[in-house]
Amino acid sequence: MSTLNELLRPVPDEDGAPFFDYAARGELRVQTCTGCREPRFPPRPCCPHCQSFDSLWTRTSGRGRIWSYVLPHPPLLPAYAAQAPYNVILVELAEAPRIRLVGNLVESADAALDSVDPERIRIGAPVRAVFHRMPDGPTVVRWLLERP
């Protein structure tokens, strides 16, 4: 039988490593250009707006809205099939509507991926970030409904 330890783990690169470092501290931060002040995600060395190579990591409120979602159907990797049906949501950040993060809507940070009934998911629903430390892996962002 599959275990949660077999879920895919993000592999941070040099540009994205700070995102996971901040997540491990319980902070949702996005890379922001120091030249034009535009936030960007995914992280990258050069600003797509002004081409500056200077950036910093700006803390966000961790709040947003569900912009889209899917309910994956089999065939799935074995560790995910055991939790189906589960959700994958795309969250538009409150402070930066052009920034959208992928994650799962869950009942609590460490809950199973199938902990939220798919009938409760609505486009536009307000959510807030929580942080889940994967076993022997990085801390990932998950999402809770603001008004359950």
Side-chain angles (χ1 to χ4, degrees):
M1 179 183 266
S2 300
T3 68
L4 294 180
N5 292 342
E6 296 171 355
L7 297 179
L8 297 174
R9 289 169 173 61
V11 179
D13 61 10
E14 183 179 337
D15 295 318
F19 176 83
F20 293 99
D21 293 341
Y22 286 116
R25 294 187 227 167
E27 298 177 15
L28 182 59
R29 291 187 180 234
V30 294
Q31 191 181 45
T32 303
C33 178
T34 56
C36 69
R37 307 298 301 164
E38 282 292 323
R40 62 183 183 251
F41 199 89
R44 50 197 173 268
C46 181
C47 176
H49 304 283
C50 74
Q51 288 68 54
S52 171
F53 283 89
D54 298 321
S55 66
L56 54 84
W57 286 84
T58 305
R59 189 171 187 169
T60 73
S61 68
R63 288 182 155 62
R65 296 196 174 278
I66 296 175
W67 193 78
S68 186
Y69 71 96
V70 296
L71 302 171
H73 294 279
L76 302 167
L77 295 172
Y80 291 91
Q83 296 188 64
Y86 64 92
N87 64 74
V88 178
I89 64 172
L90 189 59
V91 173
E92 176 183 74
L93 293 184
E95 296 92 347
R98 291 190 306 202
I99 304 255
R100 297 186 184 115
L101 302 177
V102 175
N104 302 100
L105 186 64
V106 290
E107 287 292 332
S108 67
D110 299 324
L113 299 183
D114 63 354
S115 62
V116 172
D117 181 341
E119 294 294 319
R120 295 180 56 210
I121 304 170
R122 298 284 182 265
I123 301 294
V127 293
R128 67 179 171 87
V130 291
F131 303 91
H132 170 72
R133 175 134 166 70
M134 299 185 79
D136 301 319
T139 298
V140 295
V141 178
R142 290 182 168 182
W143 302 92
L144 301 179
L145 285 170
E146 283 276 62
R147 294 181 290 265

